[in-house]
Amino acid sequence: MSGEKIRSGHQRRVLNWLMDGGGTVSEIAESLQLRMPHASLALRQLRERKEVSRDDQGSIRGAVHRLNEAGRTRLANDALARTRTLLTQIPSQAEAIVLSQDGAHLLLGYVKTPRSRLLSLPNQGISSQGDTPSTSTGSQGGRWAVQRDEQIRWYTLSDLQLTDAPRTQNLRGTLEEWTEEIDRIGILHATLLDTSREWLLSPGTWYTEPETPPPLPNALIQGEYVLGTATGTDIAISPQHGIHAHLRLPVNRVMTLNSVRKNALVFEERPQQRTARYLPHEALYHWLRARHPRLSEEKLNRKNEELRTYLLQPDGNAPSIALQRQLLADYGIVEWREGSTISNINFSGISNTGALALFEWFFQNSTEECAVEWPYSLDDNRRILERMLSSGRCRLLITSHGDYSPLISATSVIRTRKTLMKAAISLGRGKLLPLSLLQSTAGPSVQNMHEEIPSTAKELLEAWNSEEGMNKELFTETELDTGRQKAIWHALSNYPAGDENWANLNESTYPLAAWIATPHQHRTSRWIRLRTILPNGWADLLPIELCETATLISAMPKGSEEWSLLALEKTRQRFTNNVESILKYESFFQDDVLGPWMATAVLLASGQLPEEFHPLLEQACSLWVDAPRQPKQVLESLFPIGIPLSNHVEACLIQCKAAAKVHPHDSILSLWSSLLENLESNEPTTPEFLRKIMTKLPSDWWRAWAGEWLQIQLTSSSGRRWLAATPLPWPALLTRPAGERGGLPAWPIPYPAGRLGLDEVLHILLLEDKKGKPALLDVYDMFATSERQEPVHYGRTHPLVGWLARSVDSWPPMGLEVLSQGEPEIGALLYARSFASKLE
């Protein structure tokens, strides 16, 4: 199928904007931030091409322009042209590609059927050479976009001809799915939900949906009651109060109203209801005022009292027949009661005038929240409906009469769908999110309480499954107090959306349950209040990116090791980017529990600290050696590998060496200190000690001596047994370029110029066939083929490993693909040496 790009940027943007409906020249210019002459010229050119039509019934000024079929065809051809240009090799496990981005509007190509019309977009893409993120920072989450109202179009990959959608997968992400041949691509238009920050994936970038999706915009998740889920997902949608829903199907109206009716005054229409209807007698005053607007206040009060007495007391005097007829016409047969006893008002049989009086009663005599199903005209009652939505007490207003008409006071809008249980929530132009309504009465979900409860946040996170709910079989703690059981299981039943109001009410009585029930966006503030009360292991629920540095430091001792290290890394990043901020938190050094964590963060940032901060390092080091966290990273930060020792860290070196003597002999700190002392004294080392070093310490700390140490191990049977059982990237350890900076932290040494020969590694052939032997066989083969001038062998640990024994000048071109073809350290060395040779 042919396709031609739209050359004019203005024309393409205008056509794209008109996909979501018509607009005037001024509306188009304002929305696209174009100057009026440019917008007018683009529209004139599009009209001449007969791709845009103008409503010319009235004045040309202010006429609405609309996209026609020719315009849609041109957009489709533009999309095909972009696809043809960008569609090259598809990385393994890729799901989609960015075809273009124009502000909030996206053009995306999917090789797997999207999970739903709500699209989760990552912050990083997949590199064209492999499966790794192109700019990996370890972050999760990303952005949300929603598919625009146009359907996805599927094309064959071979010639981009229209085809059918791929068959629906039952299990997305299974091995069967990923190994299925990809033979088509689906092109769709989407709109970013949040345009406050730029989405950095450029056209041509492949990506997969993030494992941990980002939070939805606050307008969709900050409400107290869940209306349903985004269709095709299990993501709960709970908009804030003031929702306007225009729903034509009665069943959908009932389901939507049920989701927000808990503890609310409900106005609804139930024509088939046979039970008695009750109305508040206080509304009669407002009804009389509407019926008799010219009556004085005195006469109005007297008439109201007469009517109230007649309706509430059996012996009351009857009002005039005319008034009784008016009352029956507007309300039918009902029972009148005190308004405080009424929780439901049925509009069935009530006229528009009668309904307005009930609204007036609600505004002036009630303090409750309400949910409204309005069966009357919207346009004729716009003023009172706007007042209801803007009152702050209306959770939901449902209309059904006639076509949808916007109400400016609505916080969000739900539009009708012609399918049971389906609707769509509108977030603005081009942002229509399909919504699957709840099948049961909403409010906080209810589960049975159990004795089993999670002992830590990590246990809770492992037990939670978005599809199956909470797996209590993974909980290891038992709670016998029924009050705490009930509170914690209430909190668990609301996880992960949370219940902020409930958490606020129960914070002092059941702090752990309140912490579990806290919504994501409120966790940092609640942590500040509960941090001294919560047991250890519960900091993992804190969102690291949203926490201030002081909060992170205070939470590190109460998190799992994995979470605490992530929090520590975030603190290091902040100290590095703003070294002056360290002074704000210097008081943490005086805290027995937090001091070592603060010290670790400062030492990790030591390489970026200016001279005036050097005295702080000695203080931090004295705290760190008592509880050395992340010893590899801290030692490398204090004593960078291959860099001569700086004067300002000599005191830290003395402290570290002294403290190492009292730490476990197998710890990184102790082994580093022992090896450093041997190097300083030039004392011989035993093969057993070397094996311990090579097992426990990072290979980049000792690979400068790798050739010498390998020979030592090959000469003994115990050494050969250890080599055979211990997998190490020996080819990369033995072929570093001569002169490269290396050595142990605090003991810099360049890599030696000499290289092992074939005779020195013959004993490799004597090794048992265990997991450590393939790398050593590659060492033997690469030396043997090089000395014998034979072709380079195909490696076991990496297909190109044999080239490491040859002059770089003889190497074939090596690009980023070598990084993903085998042992990562070997691939990294191949790429680095190839890249460096080009610079020379």
Side-chain angles (χ1 to χ4, degrees):
M1 184 172 180
S2 63
E4 180 182 350
K5 275 189 180 181
I6 300 175
R7 302 298 178 186
S8 168
H10 289 168
Q11 289 185 25
R12 179 173 55 83
R13 294 177 66 193
V14 169
L15 288 172
N16 203 352
W17 190 86
L18 289 174
M19 284 181 63
D20 299 318
T24 64
V25 177
S26 59
E27 290 172 341
I28 293 170
E30 180 180 0
S31 179
L32 298 179
Q33 297 182 345
L34 295 175
R35 296 177 60 189
M36 282 287 289
H38 293 166
S40 181
L41 174 61
L43 284 165
R44 179 171 61 80
Q45 292 169 338
L46 291 171
R47 290 197 304 272
E48 291 172 353
R49 293 176 60 97
K50 301 188 183 305
E51 295 168 351
V52 167
S53 304
R54 183 174 63 190
D55 296 343
D56 289 333
Q57 290 89 345
S59 170
I60 293 179
R61 181 181 296 275
V64 175
H65 291 75
R66 302 185 188 280
L67 185 67
N68 57 31
E69 195 57 37
R72 294 186 182 277
T73 300
R74 192 178 181 202
L75 279 173
N77 288 336
D78 176 76
L80 280 177
R82 295 176 186 280
T83 305
R84 182 175 289 107
T85 302
L86 297 173
L87 194 61
T88 55
Q89 182 179 0
I90 303 176
S92 173
Q93 296 196 4
E95 293 184 3
I97 183 175
V98 182
L99 298 175
S100 73
Q101 178 179 4
D102 183 8
H105 293 154
L106 307 177
L107 183 67
L108 306 174
Y110 276 78
V111 293
K112 302 289 182 183
T113 305
R115 293 167 171 82
S116 72
R117 296 178 73 93
L118 179 63
L119 308 172
S120 179
L121 307 177
N123 286 326
Q124 296 103 18
I126 300 175
S127 65
S128 59
Q129 288 80 12
D131 298 338
T132 54
S134 56
T135 53
S136 177
T137 63
S139 61
Q140 296 180 326
R143 308 288 297 279
W144 285 110
V146 63
Q147 182 180 338
R148 295 161 79 179
D149 219 23
E150 187 178 76
Q151 293 296 318
I152 184 171
R153 295 186 179 186
W154 291 93
Y155 299 89
T156 57
L157 284 176
S158 57
D159 52 7
L160 292 181
Q161 295 293 319
L162 277 170
T163 187
D164 297 328
R167 64 185 180 89
T168 303
Q169 294 289 338
N170 293 327
L171 295 175
R172 189 175 179 84
T174 61
L175 179 62
E176 177 184 359
E177 180 182 356
W178 290 124
T179 54
E180 182 185 353
E181 182 180 0
I182 295 174
D183 60 356
R184 68 198 75 192
I185 185 170
I187 300 177
L188 63 82
H189 294 268
T191 304
L192 287 171
L193 293 187
D194 177 15
T195 57
S196 62
R197 53 193 174 91
E198 184 180 0
W199 189 44
L200 297 179
L201 268 63
S202 57
T205 303
W206 289 93
Y207 64 87
T208 60
E209 291 193 6
E211 294 182 4
T212 305
L216 284 170
N218 289 339
L220 292 177
I221 60 175
Q222 285 192 336
E224 185 178 354
Y225 295 93
V226 176
L227 293 182
T229 59
T231 300
T233 76
D234 56 4
I235 299 174
I237 305 299
S238 53
Q240 297 171 331
H241 284 11
I243 308 164
H244 175 206
H246 189 76
L247 304 173
R248 303 298 294 275
L249 293 180
V251 173
N252 287 357
R253 294 199 295 273
V254 172
M255 294 172 65
T256 306
L257 195 63
N258 284 345
S259 66
V260 300
R261 70 187 304 141
K262 184 178 181 180
N263 298 326
L265 176 64
V266 179
F267 296 85
E268 58 186 330
E269 184 184 34
R270 293 290 177 268
Q272 303 302 322
Q273 190 171 7
R274 297 182 180 180
T275 57
R277 294 187 300 119
Y278 303 100
L279 294 179
H281 69 79
E282 296 91 342
L284 292 171
Y285 172 84
H286 307 288
W287 175 74
L288 287 169
R289 178 178 287 279
R291 279 293 185 181
H292 306 282
R294 296 184 180 180
L295 279 181
S296 66
E297 191 70 20
E298 181 181 353
K299 291 183 178 180
L300 188 66
N301 287 331
R302 186 167 58 250
K303 189 177 286 289
N304 178 53
E305 184 61 27
E306 292 174 356
L307 185 58
R308 190 185 70 83
T309 303
Y310 165 70
L311 295 173
L312 299 181
Q313 299 178 12
D315 55 351
N317 295 326
S320 66
I321 297 297
L323 187 60
Q324 292 184 51
R325 287 177 178 174
Q326 289 178 345
L327 192 62
L328 284 172
D330 284 338
Y331 292 109
I333 300 175
V334 298
E335 292 187 27
W336 298 89
R337 290 186 173 182
E338 292 284 342
S340 60
T341 66
I342 293 176
S343 61
N344 179 279
I345 291 177
N346 188 353
F347 277 145
S348 179
I350 298 178
S351 70
N352 198 151
T353 301
L356 293 178
L358 290 168
F359 269 14
E360 284 295 338
W361 161 79
F362 170 77
F363 290 136
Q364 299 187 33
N365 299 88
S366 173
T367 59
E368 296 180 82
E369 293 182 352
C370 72
V372 180
E373 179 187 3
W374 184 253
Y376 314 101
S377 167
L378 186 153
D379 289 330
D380 295 341
N381 298 280
R382 181 175 299 275
R383 186 173 179 180
I384 193 88
L385 296 181
E386 292 280 10
R387 182 181 171 192
M388 176 62 76
L389 285 175
S390 63
S391 67
R393 294 194 287 141
C394 180
R395 298 176 183 174
L396 169 73
L397 169 65
I398 300 176
T399 57
S400 58
H401 190 276
D403 295 330
Y404 165 75
S405 182
L407 294 170
I408 61 174
S409 300
T411 58
S412 55
V413 176
I414 298 176
R415 300 287 299 276
T416 190
R417 283 279 194 253
K418 296 180 180 179
T419 307
L420 292 178
M421 299 170 54
K422 302 296 182 183
I425 185 165
S426 177
L427 304 173
R429 186 182 178 92
K431 301 177 183 178
L432 206 61
L433 175 62
L435 181 67
S436 295
L437 303 173
L438 290 183
Q439 299 185 50
S440 58
T441 302
S445 58
V446 178
Q447 295 188 9
N448 295 327
M449 61 183 187
H450 307 276
E451 290 185 352
E452 299 87 352
I453 64 170
S455 61
T456 62
K458 183 179 179 181
E459 204 168 88
L460 166 60
L461 294 170
E462 291 173 349
W464 166 249
N465 183 293
S466 59
E467 295 180 359
E468 300 176 5
M470 199 69 68
N471 181 9
K472 70 181 180 67
E473 302 300 325
L474 298 179
F475 296 161
T476 59
E477 187 167 324
T478 301
E479 176 57 68
L480 300 179
D481 183 272
T482 56
R484 284 193 289 271
Q485 281 181 24
K486 182 178 180 180
I488 289 176
W489 273 97
H490 175 90
L492 292 173
S493 70
N494 284 277
Y495 184 84
D499 187 339
E500 179 67 4
N501 291 336
W502 184 91
N504 289 335
L505 293 173
N506 290 273
E507 180 179 298
S508 59
T509 310
Y510 302 110
L512 179 57
W515 176 239
I516 295 172
T518 302
H520 185 78
Q521 65 273 22
H522 297 297
R523 286 207 183 274
T524 54
S525 58
R526 196 174 307 280
W527 174 264
I528 294 172
R529 299 192 296 273
L530 297 181
R531 66 184 184 277
T532 60
I533 303 174
L534 291 175
N536 289 341
W538 283 98
D540 290 34
L541 297 183
L542 272 173
I544 290 178
E545 292 291 338
L546 301 181
C547 290
E548 294 184 353
T549 302
T551 303
L552 287 181
I553 297 173
S554 70
M556 289 175 192
K558 292 204 169 186
S560 67
E561 182 178 359
E562 297 85 351
W563 184 92
S564 297
L565 293 182
L566 290 174
L568 193 58
E569 172 58 19
K570 175 56 65 175
T571 303
R572 182 203 66 80
Q573 293 173 14
R574 292 175 179 175
F575 284 174
T576 300
N577 294 332
N578 182 13
V579 294
E580 288 78 11
S581 66
I582 295 175
L583 300 177
K584 292 171 54 179
Y585 312 109
E586 193 175 357
S587 60
F588 283 121
F589 282 140
Q590 314 307 320
D591 190 293
D592 293 339
V593 176
L594 303 181
W597 291 98
M598 173 67 181
T600 304
V602 171
L603 294 179
L604 288 173
S606 60
Q608 286 74 39
L609 298 184
E611 184 176 352
E612 58 268 25
F613 281 81
H614 290 170
L616 201 64
L617 291 180
E618 188 173 349
Q619 181 184 2
C621 193
S622 65
L623 291 170
W624 177 79
V625 293
D626 291 334
R629 294 179 175 83
Q630 289 195 292
K632 176 183 184 297
Q633 291 84 349
V634 168
L635 290 174
E636 288 181 357
S637 180
L638 279 172
F639 321 117
I641 293 178
I643 304 297
L645 199 65
S646 302
N647 293 332
H648 70 273
V649 296
E650 288 184 354
C652 292
L653 178 60
I654 295 172
Q655 291 187 60
C656 291
K657 291 169 66 175
K661 298 182 184 301
V662 298
H663 280 279
H665 295 313
D666 285 346
S667 68
I668 289 180
L669 185 61
S670 178
L671 290 172
W672 163 80
S673 177
S674 299
L675 179 58
L676 184 60
E677 288 184 2
N678 283 343
L679 293 171
E680 290 173 341
S681 61
N682 199 25
E683 293 180 0
T685 52
T686 65
E688 293 80 11
F689 176 71
L690 294 181
R691 290 197 288 271
K692 186 179 291 186
I693 291 292
M694 290 187 286
T695 302
K696 299 287 187 178
L697 294 188
S699 61
D700 50 345
W701 286 16
W702 52 264
R703 63 189 177 199
W705 303 280
E708 176 187 345
W709 293 3
L710 175 62
Q711 292 179 76
I712 292 173
Q713 302 303 322
L714 285 172
T715 57
S716 68
S717 58
S718 61
R720 289 194 294 273
R721 285 195 299 271
W722 178 83
L723 288 171
T726 309
L728 288 168
W730 285 107
L733 302 178
L734 299 171
T735 56
R736 310 296 299 189
E740 179 184 336
R741 291 186 302 189
L744 190 69
W747 189 265
I749 184 175
Y751 280 87
R755 191 185 71 192
L756 294 179
L758 183 60
D759 292 341
E760 295 164 308
V761 297
L762 281 175
H763 284 69
I764 287 174
L765 301 178
L766 301 177
L767 299 181
E768 299 177 64
D769 290 330
K770 294 185 177 180
K771 57 185 179 179
K773 188 174 181 180
L776 288 164
L777 286 177
D778 274 342
V779 169
Y780 178 86
D781 285 344
M782 73 181 187
F783 287 162
T785 56
S786 177
E787 289 190 16
R788 298 167 185 166
Q789 296 185 346
E790 296 174 352
V792 173
H793 81 289
Y794 187 89
R796 303 163 184 80
T797 53
H798 194 288
L800 303 176
V801 66
W803 290 103
L804 289 173
R806 312 293 176 105
S807 170
V808 182
D809 296 337
S810 65
W811 288 12
M814 293 188 187
L816 289 171
E817 69 279 356
V818 301
L819 296 173
S820 60
Q821 290 179 341
E823 164 63 43
E825 193 163 341
I826 296 174
L829 182 59
L830 285 166
Y831 180 76
R833 292 187 63 184
S834 176
F835 184 81
S837 68
K838 297 173 184 177
L839 298 178
E840 295 171 358

